[in-house]
């Protein structure tokens, strides 16, 4: 029973109905304003994350688009690879739209609602907080006054009981000690007087409680009215937050955006369209046995042919670039099927129409037994620059070098218009390699 009583006392001491305990309801008004600021900060941080992600996607797409364009991949598979970069660019745009929506539409809604709901005072604080404080204080004041009277009557009654108890104890002790009758009489009179005081304070205490009970219903009704008023105020905030968060969800949920689903439908269609057989056929026709060839034929010597050869010999100038092959092609060569072939294939030197077998014929006629056209060329003064390989490269043609990432070689001459350079490996092998596969060491 004692534990139950203590429990009831503890609950009562923290009850909303206790004097001053309405302040938690008042504080909720200030908390609502602070929560508006917290929500805006939350959306600001998310917007920065969206922007950062979008920027990284764009930079990644730009970098890899350039690498793929300069690399050896070709044909429909190259287009499928490019589709990944296109997807990143479009998704980046969508995430920038999310960032714009968060920092624009959503934040403006919170600012406007906060401005309409909370009004600052010149003396500090919010008007709504003061109204809540005044409302609860006014509703509680009559009951608090009566409660103060009850506490005073209770204290007086308890003091009277204590005095009566003390007087009775002294009287009993005096009887046991056989004190003189006059002293015992005085003590008895003191006890009677204390008993009378106990009765008086007890009646006053009960009467004050009755008066408190009479005003309690009105007190509860008034407090309920004020509380409901601010419950409605808080309800408006909670409903606004709910609607706003649903709007934020719509902005963040890219899966519900038709643009987002369209990006991946396009990506899938492009990848599905990649055709290995088509790419192999293109490579065969442009860099393999499918290429046309002016095979050597018997030609009679003539004065006209001799003059043409002499004229060509005097007009020849050293070229900056180095051709991949010297195979002559007719004008009926199969056209390239993709725009990227210029970056994945080495240039092919076309022959003149003079029919010269010595100039436009087999380019390897003066090469060594290994078929390298560079080793028997006339020596010339070339500037050699040491370079390091960035990536692995396997030569696709007889006059191309093969190396691993990290290998060092010498660059002999400048890059030609098609992005190829002439170089020499550490073992002395001379050949061509893609210029973007290496970096200068000096």
């Amino acid at each position: 029973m004692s534990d139950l009583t203590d429990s009831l006392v503890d609950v009562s001491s923290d009850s909303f109905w206790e004097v001053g305990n309405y302040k938690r309801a008042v504080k909720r008004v200030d908390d609502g304003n602070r929560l508006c600021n917290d929500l805006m900060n939350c959306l600001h941080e998310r917007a920065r994350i969206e922007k950062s992600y979008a920027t990284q996607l764009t930079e990644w797409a730009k970098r890899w688009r350039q690498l793929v364009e300069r690399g050896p991949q070709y044909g429909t598979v190259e287009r499928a690879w490019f589709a990944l970069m296109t997807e990143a660019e479009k998704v980046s745009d969508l995430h920038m739209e999310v960032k714009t929506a968060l920092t624009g539409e959503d934040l403006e809604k919170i600012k406007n609602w906060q401005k309409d709901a909370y009004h600052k005072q010149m003396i500090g604080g919010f008007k709504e907080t003061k109204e809540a404080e005044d409302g609860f204080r006014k509703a509680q004041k009559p009951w608090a006054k009566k409660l103060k009277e009850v506490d005073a009557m209770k204290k007086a009654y308890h003091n009277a009981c204590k005095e009566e108890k003390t007087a009775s104890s002294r009287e009993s002790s005096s009887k046991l000690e056989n004190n003189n009758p006059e002293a015992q009489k005085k003590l008895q009179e003191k006890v009677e007087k204390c008993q009378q005081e106990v009765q008086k304070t007890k009646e006053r205490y009960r009467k004050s409680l009755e008066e408190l009970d009479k005003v309690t219903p009105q007190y509860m009704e008034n407090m309920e009215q004020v509380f409901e008023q601010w419950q409605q105020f808080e309800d408006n905030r909670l409903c606004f937050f709910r609607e706003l968060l649903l709007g934020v969800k719509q902005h963040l949920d890219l899966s519900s955006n038709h643009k987002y689903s369209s990006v991946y439908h396009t990506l899938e269609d492009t990848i599905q369209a990649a055709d290995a057989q088509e790419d192999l056929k293109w490579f065969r026709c442009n860099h393999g046995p499918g290429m046309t060839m002016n095979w050597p034929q018997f030609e009679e010597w003539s004065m006209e042919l001799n003059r043409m050869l002499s004229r060509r010999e005097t007009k020849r100038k050293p070229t900056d670039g180095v051709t991949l092959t010297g195979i002559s092609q007719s004008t009926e060569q199969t056209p390239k099927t993709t725009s990227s072939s210029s970056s994945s294939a080495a240039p092919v030197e076309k022959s003149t129409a003079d029919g010269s077998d010595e100039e436009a014929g087999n380019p390897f006629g003066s090469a060594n037994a290994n078929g390298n056209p560079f080793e028997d060329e006339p020596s010339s003064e070339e500037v050699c620059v040491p370079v390091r390989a960035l990536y692995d490269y396997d030569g696709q043609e007889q006059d191309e070098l093969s190396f691993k990432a990290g290998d060092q070689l010498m660059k002999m001459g400048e890059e030609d218009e098609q992005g190829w350079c002439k170089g020499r490996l550490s073992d002395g092998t001379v050949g061509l390699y893609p210029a973007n596969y290496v970096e200068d060491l000096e």
Side-chain angles (χ1 to χ4, degrees), residues 136-303:
F136 281 116
R137 185 187 294 112
K138 182 178 179 181
Q140 196 175 69
K141 186 175 181 180
W143 188 83
K145 184 177 180 181
K146 290 293 183 182
L147 180 64
K148 188 176 181 180
E149 293 176 1
V150 169
D151 289 340
M153 293 299 102
K154 181 175 70 171
K155 184 177 181 180
Y157 169 62
H158 288 173
N159 287 338
C161 291
K162 183 179 178 181
E163 289 291 332
E164 189 269 338
K165 182 70 173 176
T166 303
S168 297
S169 298
R170 288 177 179 175
E171 182 188 14
S172 299
S173 299
S174 177
K175 289 180 179 179
L176 292 174
E177 294 173 359
N178 293 319
N179 291 335
N180 60 62
E182 186 176 349
Q184 290 183 5
K185 184 178 180 181
K186 287 183 179 180
L187 290 173
Q188 187 176 3
E189 290 176 354
K190 178 66 174 177
V191 170
E192 291 175 354
K193 185 177 180 181
C194 288
Q195 289 175 345
Q196 292 175 1
E197 186 64 22
V198 167
Q199 290 300 321
K200 289 179 182 179
T201 55
K202 185 177 182 180
E203 289 298 324
R204 291 173 187 167
Y205 180 31
R206 286 186 174 180
K207 184 178 180 181
S208 64
L209 277 175
E210 291 173 358
E211 292 177 356
L212 181 66
D213 290 341
K214 289 178 181 179
V215 300
T216 296
Q218 185 64 45
Y219 162 64
M220 296 179 68
E221 181 180 347
N222 294 341
M223 291 291 283
E224 280 278 3
Q225 290 178 354
V226 178
F227 185 78
E228 284 303 319
Q229 175 186 348
W230 297 104
Q231 278 285 85
Q232 183 61 45
F233 183 83
E234 178 67 3
D235 180 64
N236 292 338
R237 185 190 68 81
L238 294 174
C239 291
F240 167 73
F241 270 39
R242 179 181 180 276
E243 293 301 318
L244 180 85
L245 292 173
L246 284 175
V248 172
K249 178 263 177 188
Q250 290 297 325
H251 293 147
L252 296 177
D253 185 10
L254 293 180
S255 64
S256 62
N257 189 327
H258 71 280
K259 295 180 182 179
Y260 188 76
S261 57
S262 174
V263 168
Y264 291 98
H265 289 153
T266 303
L267 176 61
E268 182 178 4
D269 292 342
T270 306
I271 295 174
Q272 291 288 1
D275 188 337
Q277 293 305 314
E278 180 181 342
D279 291 353
L280 293 174
K281 181 180 178 181
W282 174 87
F283 194 88
R284 178 183 181 84
C285 293
N286 286 272
H287 306 291
M291 296 180 68
T292 58
M293 171 68 178
N294 288 333
W295 298 102
Q297 298 179 7
F298 181 81
E299 296 180 5
E300 289 287 353
W301 181 88
S302 65
M303 290 295 295

Side-chain angles (χ1 to χ4, degrees), residues 232-437:
Q232 183 61 45
F233 183 83
E234 178 67 3
D235 180 64
N236 292 338
R237 185 190 68 81
L238 294 174
C239 291
F240 167 73
F241 270 39
R242 179 181 180 276
E243 293 301 318
L244 180 85
L245 292 173
L246 284 175
V248 172
K249 178 263 177 188
Q250 290 297 325
H251 293 147
L252 296 177
D253 185 10
L254 293 180
S255 64
S256 62
N257 189 327
H258 71 280
K259 295 180 182 179
Y260 188 76
S261 57
S262 174
V263 168
Y264 291 98
H265 289 153
T266 303
L267 176 61
E268 182 178 4
D269 292 342
T270 306
I271 295 174
Q272 291 288 1
D275 188 337
Q277 293 305 314
E278 180 181 342
D279 291 353
L280 293 174
K281 181 180 178 181
W282 174 87
F283 194 88
R284 178 183 181 84
C285 293
N286 286 272
H287 306 291
M291 296 180 68
T292 58
M293 171 68 178
N294 288 333
W295 298 102
Q297 298 179 7
F298 181 81
E299 296 180 5
E300 289 287 353
W301 181 88
S302 65
M303 290 295 295
E304 181 65 23
L305 177 60
N306 187 50
R307 283 194 297 271
M308 291 176 61
L309 290 174
S310 299
R311 191 162 52 247
R312 288 186 59 193
E313 190 67 31
T314 57
K315 289 183 178 180
R316 283 182 61 186
K317 296 181 179 179
T319 58
D320 294 333
V322 181
T323 58
L324 175 63
T325 66
I327 301 175
S328 301
Q329 292 180 298
S330 69
T331 57
E332 297 178 354
Q333 180 182 348
T334 305
K336 297 180 180 180
T337 59
T338 65
S339 60
S340 63
S341 60
S342 62
S343 63
S344 60
V348 179
E349 182 182 2
K350 294 186 179 181
S351 66
T352 59
D354 59 5
S356 172
D357 190 42
E358 295 179 12
E359 292 292 335
N362 190 341
F364 305 108
S366 61
N368 62 7
N370 294 328
N372 191 330
F374 301 106
E375 293 188 5
D376 288 339
E377 289 181 349
S379 60
S380 59
E381 294 184 6
E382 294 179 302
V383 178
C384 295
V385 179
V387 295
R388 180 190 292 112
L390 295 173
Y391 317 100
D392 294 350
Y393 183 73
D394 293 326
Q396 303 298 313
E397 298 291 344
Q398 191 176 20
D399 57 346
E400 292 180 16
L401 298 177
S402 297
F403 46 77
K404 298 292 184 181
D407 289 352
Q408 293 188 15
L409 56 151
M410 300 298 293
K411 181 172 76 171
M412 304 166 64
E414 299 298 327
E415 176 184 350
D416 65 14
E417 295 178 355
Q418 285 75 30
W420 292 81
C421 273
K422 180 181 176 183
R424 183 174 66 247
L425 298 178
S426 58
D427 62 359
T429 304
V430 178
L432 296 173
Y433 64 89
N436 64 317
Y437 271 57

